[in-house]
Amino acid sequence: MKLPFNLLVLKVYHAQKNRVRPEMAQIGLSPGQPKLLTFLALNGECLQKDLAAACDIEAATISKLLNSLEENGLIRRDTLTGDRRATRIALTEAGFWLYETEIRPRIGAINQRSLTGFTPEESEQFQSFLKRMYRNLTGMTLD
């Protein structure tokens, strides 16, 4: 059976999600939290609204995710002076440690398994194709 392109993309997405979620649950993270911690580890502190936009998460959803991460001591939130609506988010030392010792190695192993059989050139080309698709669909670029 030949799958239409959109179903092929969905099946790959779900296959990866089904590998990632149990790994993250083992370290106490719920869906959505690993990408927030990863973004902060790779990019440093940022405004909550920018974090939501970068991770494609709605404002109400990100608040819930951040509440849990803050309660667990993985992030800290600071209100910017002069603007109580603007909140800066940063990893705590515990959050960065969790990223380095648990999230990054586990996701790295899943990524490596996902790209088994790909040459380095094919892997780079595949990532380039995914970025181009994202730009085509959203008008935004990924770095």
Side-chain angles (χ1 to χ4, degrees):
M1 168 175 78
K2 182 171 166 81
L3 289 176
F5 183 75
N6 64 309
L7 291 182
L8 182 60
V9 170
L10 281 173
K11 287 186 81 56
V12 171
Y13 163 75
H14 285 292
Q16 186 190 48
K17 179 180 72 171
N18 290 337
R19 294 279 180 182
V20 170
R21 282 192 178 172
E23 288 288 326
M24 296 301 107
Q26 287 179 7
I27 57 174
L29 296 176
S30 66
Q33 291 179 330
K35 68 180 167 183
L36 296 175
L37 294 172
T38 297
F39 183 87
L40 291 167
L42 297 177
N43 297 285
E45 67 181 36
C46 65
L47 294 178
Q48 181 171 323
K49 66 180 179 123
D50 295 334
L51 180 60
C55 294
D56 296 314
I57 298 175
E58 298 292 325
T61 303
I62 199 168
S63 290
K64 292 176 190 173
L65 292 170
L66 292 174
N67 286 343
S68 177
L69 291 171
E70 187 175 35
E71 288 169 10
N72 291 319
L74 301 174
I75 62 146
R76 72 171 192 281
R77 293 193 251 200
D78 301 308
T79 303
L80 293 179
T81 306
D83 188 354
R84 291 182 13 179
R85 295 171 298 148
T87 304
R88 183 177 25 236
I89 310 297
L91 283 181
T92 62
E93 193 172 305
F96 190 73
W97 181 88
L98 184 69
Y99 170 75
E100 283 293 323
T101 63
E102 296 290 345
I103 297 170
R104 190 168 60 95
R106 290 169 186 253
I107 296 295
I110 292 167
N111 289 342
Q112 186 174 8
R113 180 175 181 160
S114 298
L115 296 170
T116 298
F118 286 73
T119 66
E121 295 79 19
E122 289 171 330
S123 177
E124 284 294 319
Q125 188 176 35
F126 185 51
Q127 290 179 57
S128 175
F129 291 157
L130 290 172
K131 290 176 184 180
R132 191 180 329 160
M133 283 179 62
Y134 185 83
R135 185 181 65 239
N136 291 345
L137 293 169
T138 67
M140 297 183 292
T141 58
L142 298 171
D143 10 341

